[in-house]
Amino acid sequence: MAPAALQPFLSLLNNKPVKLLIAGGILIVSTEIAYELVLWWRKATKPKPKSCEVFFINRRKLVEPLPTPQDFLYEHINRIISYIDRAEKSICLAMYIFTMREICEAVIRAKRERSVVVRVVTCESMVANEGSFLRDLIAEDIKVQYKYKSEYLMHHKFCLLDTDWYCANCLIAYHTAEYGEPTKNMQHTLFDKAVMSDRAALLQRFGSSCVRCNPAERNKQDKRQRKQSNNPLPKHGLILAGSSNWTFPGLTTHWDTITVASLPELIDPFAAEFQRMWYELNDPLGLTHTREPLYKRRCGADF
């Protein structure tokens, strides 16, 4: 027989409305637990994305159901666009030839809709290319830089998405660790000369603090990025690099490659090199330097 002190409580439990209330509470808690278990199971069974993949331009993956002929042809183009559409922080593009309208639209969309910071480095020899979409990027107030009357080609073909932007101190530290301290007996690039004798110019260009040396800023940035996107890029960003120019044949039929990686040991050298180019190839490209695109003259249509 229950103690007298418990009798009021037991009487309350025998009350029908109370029983219904308890049963409802148990049902709600059970449902919540089941939902969390389902989410955990989906996450546990979901295959982890590869940290590095290599794609050959004139090869295609056979999938079921079979893609449409256009999707089959545009496989690599659509892959690049899908990565750009996930960028939330920055796009740093070093491209020799850039004539793909669909990719240009994705870059502009990133700036317009998500306020992504876009920086582009190109080669002087391609500035007057009539098929280039650089003019359209410039019209969107996207910074495009090159080197006027350069003796050498800017022949890179890579794109960094949501990667760290070094401050001057971190940039100098990285280059010094990788290549050594510049000396007077070495042949210098403009960047090396600045490291030796004009660090104030590097500080003016890149600042004195970044997420690399300021953990609080990184935490703030990571929280902001998680809030903005349901499908963010990997934590350290992404590098797309290879032999392909961003042209239609370069992304559909040529004997070319694209490597996509989220490995910091691959991303960091490209990120530091892009900033070295940003410092050295520092002539801003304006609309007056580029030709009216051939496609506009033919069609008479605005982009």
Side-chain angles (χ1 to χ4, degrees), residues 127-129 134-136 138-139 144 146 148 283-293:
V127 166
N129 186 319
L134 294 175
R135 188 179 180 90
D136 300 273
I138 296 167
V144 180
Y146 74 117
Y148 180 62
D283 292 314
L285 185 61
L287 291 176
T288 57
H289 302 109
T290 60
R291 291 188 182 181
E292 184 71 14

Side-chain angles (χ1 to χ4, degrees), residues 13-244:
L13 291 179
N14 288 326
N15 187 283
K16 188 174 181 180
V18 173
K19 287 182 178 180
L20 292 174
L21 183 64
I22 293 173
I26 293 173
L27 179 62
I28 292 172
V29 172
S30 301
T31 303
E32 185 66 24
I33 292 173
Y35 176 72
E36 293 295 331
L37 286 173
V38 169
L39 291 181
W40 174 85
W41 180 81
R42 285 180 178 177
K43 186 176 180 180
T45 57
K46 186 178 180 179
K48 292 184 178 180
K50 295 180 180 179
S51 57
C52 185
E53 290 186 271
V54 178
F55 301 98
F56 299 98
I57 296 305
N58 58 9
R59 296 285 281 172
R60 300 290 188 277
K61 288 187 177 182
L62 297 179
V63 295
E64 293 291 343
L66 291 175
T68 65
Q70 179 165 338
D71 286 342
F72 187 78
L73 181 64
Y74 274 64
E75 177 185 320
H76 303 300
I77 297 169
N78 290 337
R79 181 180 294 109
I80 292 172
I81 292 172
S82 71
Y83 288 133
I84 292 174
D85 281 342
R86 291 167 61 191
E88 295 290 341
K89 184 173 62 175
S90 64
I91 298 172
C92 295
L93 174 63
M95 190 58 55
Y96 183 61
I97 308 176
F98 184 15
T99 62
M100 279 304 306
R101 173 191 291 271
E102 291 83 356
I103 299 179
C104 176
E105 290 174 344
V107 173
I108 291 174
R109 188 162 58 243
K111 182 180 184 297
R112 281 182 181 174
E113 299 177 4
R114 304 189 301 281
S115 300
V116 174
V117 176
V118 182
R119 305 176 182 93
V120 180
V121 171
T122 191
C123 184
E124 183 186 24
S125 63
M126 288 295 106
V127 166
N129 186 319
E130 291 182 329
S132 173
F133 275 88
L134 294 175
R135 188 179 180 90
D136 300 273
L137 298 180
I138 296 167
E140 291 291 327
D141 201 27
I142 290 173
K143 289 185 178 180
V144 180
Q145 293 186 181
Y146 74 117
K147 194 63 180 177
Y148 180 62
K149 292 187 177 179
S150 175
E151 298 179 32
Y152 312 106
L153 293 178
M154 197 304 297
H155 209 240
H156 282 303
K157 297 104 177 174
F158 70 85
C159 181
L160 294 156
L161 301 174
D162 285 357
T163 55
D164 291 342
W165 186 256
Y166 293 85
C167 67
N169 295 325
C170 290
L171 187 62
I172 293 170
Y174 181 88
H175 277 279
T176 301
E178 290 294 317
Y179 306 106
E181 188 80 34
T183 66
K184 292 182 179 180
N185 297 323
M186 295 170 60
Q187 182 178 356
H188 307 299
T189 65
L190 294 176
F191 179 84
D192 293 326
K193 290 179 180 178
V195 171
M196 288 182 59
S197 59
D198 193 9
R199 295 198 175 192
L202 293 174
L203 285 167
Q204 183 179 6
R205 184 73 162 165
F206 300 117
S208 58
S209 178
C210 65
V211 294
R212 291 267 174 162
C213 56
N214 188 343
E217 181 62 28
R218 179 178 292 281
N219 292 336
K220 181 180 177 182
Q221 188 180 88
D222 289 345
K223 288 180 181 178
R224 183 170 59 248
Q225 191 170 351
R226 284 195 295 270
K227 287 181 180 179
Q228 288 176 335
S229 175
N230 294 324
N231 187 24
L233 292 170
K235 181 178 180 181
H236 297 287
L238 210 63
I239 173 71
L240 288 70
S243 60
S244 295

Side-chain angles (χ1 to χ4, degrees), residues 130-131 292-301:
E130 291 182 329
E292 184 71 14
L294 188 61
Y295 65 85
K296 286 189 177 179
R297 294 210 305 270
R298 284 177 175 172
C299 302

